[in-house]
Amino acid sequence: MIYKSPMDEMSRTTPTQFWNDNCSLKDLAFSIDHGAVGATTNPVIVGQVLEAELAQYTPVIKQLVSEHPTATEDDIGWLLNERMACDGAELLYPVFQKMGKRAGYISIQTNTKYYRDTAKMVEQAICFSKLAENMMVKMPMTAQGIAAVEECTYHGVNINATVSFTVPQAIAVAEAVKRGMERRAAQGKDNAHLFPVCTIMVGRVEDWLKEVSDAKGIIVDPQALTMSGVAVFKNAYKIFKERGYHTRLLVAAYRHHHHWSEFIGGDVSMTIPPSWIRKFVTSDIKVENRMDTPVAPKLIAQLQKHFPDFDRAYQPDGMKPEEFEGYGATNRTLKQFLSGYDKMIGLVRGVMTNM
């Protein structure tokens, strides 16, 4: 059989799925053509798409402002988030139907400012889940986010656990989903529509350890740092398979081809930025099962010796939920998401004030 690209071949010949990591309809259409079965958004992504396609979305913002004359810029910003997610959901709906509702979702993220408030995350997630049949809802994996995962699952929401970097976070997510599903089952509620995912932002694990390395003058084999996020993800995958968790793992935060090629063959999903998708579809990297190939033990040993934060991420009991918020990669990412939200609102403000 002739395939359009390595991504198309992977999608057709392995259990590995990939998503388009933004909500641009142009990028999503290209990705679907090469086998993508999902997409994701967050305020940072919405801001990036809005900035790149401002001419296209200016009339949309103006329409929203006209339809909601008392709305604040924050209100308009969230209405725009919802509009972009719904447009993406519509484009993915044929995939959703073809895949028997097991894929074809788009993720929309709750307000990052709610990362310490379980009730607000749950309330917003339930609202978002009703926007489209193939809508999935993201929330950050602080201790409060873990609690929100259980409650959202109980309420029948398909969740995508984000701001997640570690094996302990992934296990906490899977256990929270399990509790939510058990509560539903005990009340005779159907779980057949629930296909939750847990993100591990592998590139951000690497980013954080490189920052620690630079700050402390630590010298290790560069390949050890390059494979740090890969090692964390593969360990989480091994544990998920052993324990039979219902939650599906999702790779995110791409920095190089290992964040794609090393996971081919796994029963996982990947959310890949369009710029990397376009590189991968033209690459000559062979599509073969590498998920079951472990990271070299000598590299893991170096990381464990020099970076306590790697061991906290790698070991299943490396952290307790109350420690998630203070983990370096979590702290940095929350700050970036909050900053990205402010930038997105600034773009909306620019249109509103010029009407």
Side-chain angles (χ1 to χ4, degrees):
M1 184 173 182
I2 298 175
Y3 303 103
K4 293 180 180 179
S5 67
M7 303 300 288
D8 180 47
E9 181 181 356
M10 179 187 74
S11 299
R12 292 175 182 271
T13 64
T14 80
T16 313
Q17 300 177 353
F18 83 96
W19 301 0
N20 184 73
D21 196 29
N22 81 8
C23 52
S24 165
L25 297 181
K26 176 181 64 177
D27 290 336
L28 179 53
F30 176 85
S31 299
I32 291 172
D33 191 46
H34 287 272
V37 296
T40 190
T41 76
N42 61 41
V44 175
I45 289 173
V46 168
Q48 291 170 344
V49 173
L50 180 58
E51 187 173 31
E53 302 178 6
L54 189 58
Q56 174 183 336
Y57 282 104
T58 293
V60 176
I61 295 172
K62 289 181 177 180
Q63 179 187 359
L64 291 172
V65 172
S66 297
E67 292 172 351
H68 303 84
T70 63
T72 66
E73 56 195 26
D74 289 273
D75 295 333
I76 298 300
W78 281 106
L79 288 170
L80 183 63
N81 269 263
E82 292 178 11
R83 174 72 68 85
M84 287 185 171
C86 287
D87 288 345
E90 183 177 357
L91 192 57
L92 280 163
Y93 196 73
V95 177
F96 180 69
Q97 292 179 307
K98 180 181 177 181
M99 300 289 288
K101 302 184 180 181
R102 300 181 66 86
Y105 292 88
I106 189 167
S107 292
I108 183 172
Q109 187 164 309
T110 57
N111 193 334
T112 307
K113 294 180 179 180
Y114 297 163
Y115 71 93
R116 290 186 172 183
D117 193 323
T118 298
K120 286 185 178 179
M121 279 188 271
V122 173
E123 180 183 9
Q124 194 174 38
I126 291 173
C127 179
F128 284 163
S129 71
K130 297 175 182 178
L131 293 172
E133 188 180 0
N134 55 333
M135 193 69 65
M136 186 174 276
V137 186
K138 300 165 72 173
M139 58 208 70
M141 287 306 98
T142 56
Q144 295 84 355
I146 297 296
V149 164
E150 179 179 342
E151 289 305 309
C152 288
T153 302
Y154 169 70
H155 286 287
V157 177
N158 270 305
I159 64 94
N160 177 351
T162 190
V163 192
S164 175
F165 317 89
T166 70
V167 175
Q169 285 174 295
I171 290 174
V173 169
E175 291 289 344
V177 167
K178 182 180 178 182
R179 292 191 298 270
M181 292 180 69
E182 287 173 346
R183 287 168 57 192
R184 288 179 60 81
Q187 295 180 6
K189 296 180 179 179
D190 185 21
N191 286 325
H193 72 289
L194 291 175
F195 300 103
V197 299
C198 177
T199 296
I200 296 183
M201 306 177 89
V202 293
R204 290 178 180 268
V205 174
E206 182 179 327
D207 293 344
W208 174 242
L209 295 183
K210 285 181 176 178
E211 184 171 314
V212 172
S213 175
D214 291 343
K216 296 187 176 182
I218 300 171
I219 297 176
V220 294
D221 185 335
Q223 190 69 3
L225 292 171
T226 297
M227 299 300 284
S228 56
V230 173
V232 168
F233 191 91
K234 287 194 173 188
N235 198 36
Y237 182 74
K238 176 175 175 289
I239 292 169
F240 269 48
K241 286 299 182 183
E242 290 172 349
R243 298 185 183 182
Y245 286 136
H246 181 70
T247 303
R248 184 181 181 90
L249 285 171
L250 174 72
V251 187
Y254 282 69
R255 302 295 183 265
H256 43 73
H257 83 78
H258 295 297
H259 292 156
W260 163 53
S261 58
E262 283 293 320
F263 306 125
I264 293 173
D267 190 9
V268 300
S269 298
M270 309 175 177
T271 182
I272 309 177
S275 60
W276 280 104
I277 291 174
R278 292 180 185 277
K279 291 176 184 177
F280 295 155
V281 299
T282 59
S283 74
D284 57 3
I285 294 172
K286 187 176 180 180
V287 174
E288 60 185 13
N289 187 343
R290 298 184 185 86
M291 179 56 107
D292 297 330
T293 303
V295 174
K298 67 177 182 179
L299 298 180
I300 294 176
Q302 284 190 54
L303 292 165
Q304 289 179 316
K305 177 180 179 180
H306 294 284
F307 298 98
D309 272 0
F310 171 78
D311 213 43
R312 294 172 73 198
Y314 186 78
Q315 298 293 352
D317 58 353
M319 283 188 288
K320 298 177 180 178
E322 57 267 26
E323 298 177 277
F324 293 165
E325 182 184 329
Y327 186 66
T330 305
N331 190 271
R332 292 175 83 246
T333 302
L334 285 172
K335 288 179 180 177
Q336 183 190 10
F337 281 6
L338 289 165
S339 177
Y341 173 79
D342 291 339
K343 182 177 180 181
M344 183 267 292
I345 295 299
L347 291 166
V348 171
R349 182 186 305 125
V351 175
M352 292 178 69
T353 55
N354 286 317
M355 288 181 64

